[in-house]
């Protein structure tokens, strides 16, 4: 009976991509029997039931492994990066076309123009630097020695990675590996947001919002000149349904490109701004998205300490330069809780 129960639990976890809860007796026994450090996570479609020494296989897991065999576990997905690069290229080409061959930038004085160029350079350096740090930082458990005095206290067992995982970690079916302090999977960049890349992710949201708003302002005069020559109904249709206007021959390709790029820049700025506000709230409360959805605030140490835990001691300066050294105080495995702080204070 115990073996069949372990097999059923293992198959269910393999399909759902979740880690077994530490309170489960089968998961606890499996975690006790498997105490190896994590190197490369298990890649096969089968799931090892450590408690019973048996193997079971999930067709869903096999399909996922075959589909993602072209990339290593935890590495960024290539398709979202390619699509994002194509969109960035389209925005850059449209902006260059408008500034060089179109109405040009908004009229400014020499000092204002120099400040605008300096702001654009600052935003681009921060944006590209944080993108690079986000993609280069590996938030997974690969190569991490999962051991210590806290092993088993709040830990879970992942049947897909075949390893114990610390609290606040979770398995990502897209990355096919467990992520330390997993927040969510970013589909736009094809990578999970976790302990090691949460800081560049937050800074990326900030500077992406600024860059997209800046581009929208630069494209504003050209778009205003285009909209003034049309009726209000035509203007609304061009802004809301540029593809339909192009397919019906109501606008030229150049007019469509201007409206489409401006629309996506404004929408992207709103999306990044909303994400920044949401994650800023989580940052001050010491929560991940998963914990926020379940109303858990066990790791809320107060706004100041929460900022230091996520951004390091120079939390106020990392927003302005991505390569500023600000080492995180933790290791992504053990976390101080609010109960620990109250116990120490007492």
């Amino acid at each position: 009976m115990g073996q069949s129960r372990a097999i059923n639990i293992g198959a269910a976890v393999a399909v759902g991509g979740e880690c077994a809860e530490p309170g489960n007796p089968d998961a606890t026994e499996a975690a006790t029997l498997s105490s190896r450090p994590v190197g490369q996570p298990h890649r096969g479609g089968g799931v090892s039931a450590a408690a019973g020494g048996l193997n079971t296989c999930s067709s869903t897991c096999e399909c996922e492994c075959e589909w993602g065999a072209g990339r290593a576990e935890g590495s960024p997905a290539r398709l979202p990066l390619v699509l994002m690069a194509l969109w960035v290229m389209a925005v850059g080409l449209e902006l260059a076309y408008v500034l060089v061959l179109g109405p040009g930038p908004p009229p400014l004085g020499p000092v204002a123009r120099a400040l605008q160029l300096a702001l654009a350079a600052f935003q681009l350096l921060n944006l590209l630097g944080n993108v690079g740090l986000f993609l280069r930082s590996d938030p997974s458990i690969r190569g991490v020695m999962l051991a210590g005095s806290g092993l088993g206290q709040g830990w879970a067992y992942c049947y897909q990675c075949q390893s114990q995982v610390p609290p606040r970690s979770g398995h990502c079916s897209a990355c096919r590996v467990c992520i330390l302090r997993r927040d969510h999977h970013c589909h736009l960049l094809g990578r999970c947001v976790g302990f090691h890349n949460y800081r560049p992710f937050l800074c990326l949201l900030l500077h992406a919002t600024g860059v997209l708003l800046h581009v929208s302002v630069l494209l504003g005069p050209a778009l205003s000149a285009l909209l003034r020559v049309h009726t209000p109904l035509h203007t609304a249709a061009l802004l809301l349904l540029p593809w339909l206007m192009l397919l019906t021959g109501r606008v030229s390709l150049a007019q469509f490109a201007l409206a489409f790029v401006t629309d996506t820049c404004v929408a992207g700025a709103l999306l990044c701004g909303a994400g920044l506000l949401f994650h800023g709230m989580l940052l001050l409360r010491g929560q991940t998205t998963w914990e926020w959805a379940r109303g858990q605030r066990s790791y809320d140490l107060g706004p100041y300490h929460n900022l230091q835990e996520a951004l390091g001691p120079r939390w106020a300066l990392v927003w302005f330069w991505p390569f500023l050294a600000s080492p995180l105080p933790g290791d992504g495995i053990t976390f101080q809780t609010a109960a620990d702080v109250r116990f120490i204070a007492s």
Side-chain angles (χ1 to χ4, degrees):
M1 177 66 71
Q3 292 180 349
S4 61
R5 184 181 178 188
I7 294 174
N8 293 335
I9 294 175
V13 172
V15 175
E18 299 293 340
C19 298
E21 293 296 330
N24 189 305
D26 293 311
T28 305
E29 185 177 357
T32 305
L33 294 177
S34 176
S35 58
R36 59 175 179 83
V38 175
Q40 295 294 333
H42 180 66
R43 295 191 60 176
V47 178
S48 173
L54 299 177
N55 291 330
T56 182
C57 182
S58 169
S59 59
T60 304
C61 186
E62 288 176 351
C63 293
E64 287 183 358
C65 292
E66 292 173 0
W67 180 86
R71 64 186 183 95
E73 290 89 342
S75 62
R78 295 177 181 175
L79 182 59
L81 293 179
V82 171
L83 295 177
M84 183 64 64
L86 291 176
W87 178 75
V88 171
M89 187 182 302
V91 173
L93 291 175
E94 179 62 27
L95 182 61
Y97 175 81
V98 169
L99 296 181
V100 176
L101 301 178
L108 295 173
V111 177
R113 180 68 64 203
L115 291 176
Q116 185 189 41
L117 292 176
L119 176 61
F122 171 77
Q123 290 176 324
L124 284 176
L125 285 175
N126 276 276
L127 181 66
L128 296 177
N130 283 297
V131 168
L133 289 176
F134 177 81
L135 296 178
R136 285 174 49 200
S137 302
D138 185 4
S140 71
I141 63 174
R142 282 187 311 176
V144 178
M145 182 66 70
L146 299 181
S149 59
L151 184 64
Q153 300 177 7
W155 288 53
Y157 185 80
C158 177
Y159 287 89
Q160 288 187 306
C161 294
Q162 293 194 353
S163 172
Q164 308 97 338
V165 291
R168 312 186 82 182
S169 301
H171 190 89
C172 176
S173 58
C175 296
R176 299 185 294 136
V177 69
C178 283
I179 307 297
L180 295 175
R181 193 194 175 275
R182 183 175 187 266
D183 190 273
H184 70 284
H185 184 84
C186 179
H187 292 280
L188 292 178
L189 294 176
R191 169 152 249 181
C192 262
V193 179
F195 177 78
H196 291 293
N197 61 0
Y198 191 57
R199 183 174 69 196
F201 173 75
L202 291 174
C203 297
L204 177 59
L205 288 177
L206 173 65
H207 294 288
T209 304
V211 167
L212 292 172
L213 288 176
H214 198 164
V215 172
S216 302
V217 171
L218 293 176
L219 296 177
L223 184 63
S224 299
L226 172 63
L227 299 180
R228 279 196 298 266
V229 300
H230 296 291
T231 63
L233 181 60
H234 188 282
T235 298
L238 179 59
L239 292 176
L240 299 177
L241 302 169
W243 281 102
L244 181 61
M245 299 294 287
L246 177 66
L247 294 176
T248 55
R250 302 295 181 89
V251 294
S252 65
L253 183 60
Q255 293 173 335
F256 160 78
L258 175 60
F260 175 75
V261 168
T262 306
D263 282 351
T264 54
C265 285
V266 173
L270 293 175
L271 178 63
C272 292
L276 179 63
L277 291 176
F278 174 70
H279 282 281
M281 180 265 295
L282 297 183
L283 176 66
L284 295 176
R285 299 174 63 172
Q287 288 179 305
T288 64
T289 301
W290 190 92
E291 293 164 353
W292 169 81
R294 289 157 179 80
Q296 299 180 5
R297 297 188 64 174
S298 304
Y299 302 95
D300 186 2
L301 308 178
Y304 178 75
H305 292 289
N306 292 336
L307 287 169
Q308 287 189 322
E309 287 288 323
L311 305 178
R314 299 182 177 180
W315 58 268
L317 301 177
V318 295
W319 303 97
F320 303 103
W321 189 243
F323 307 109
L324 182 68
S326 183
L328 300 179
D331 55 5
I333 300 176
T334 57
F335 297 91
Q336 193 175 30
T337 64
D340 296 335
V341 174
R342 289 194 296 268
F343 177 77
I344 295 174
S346 62

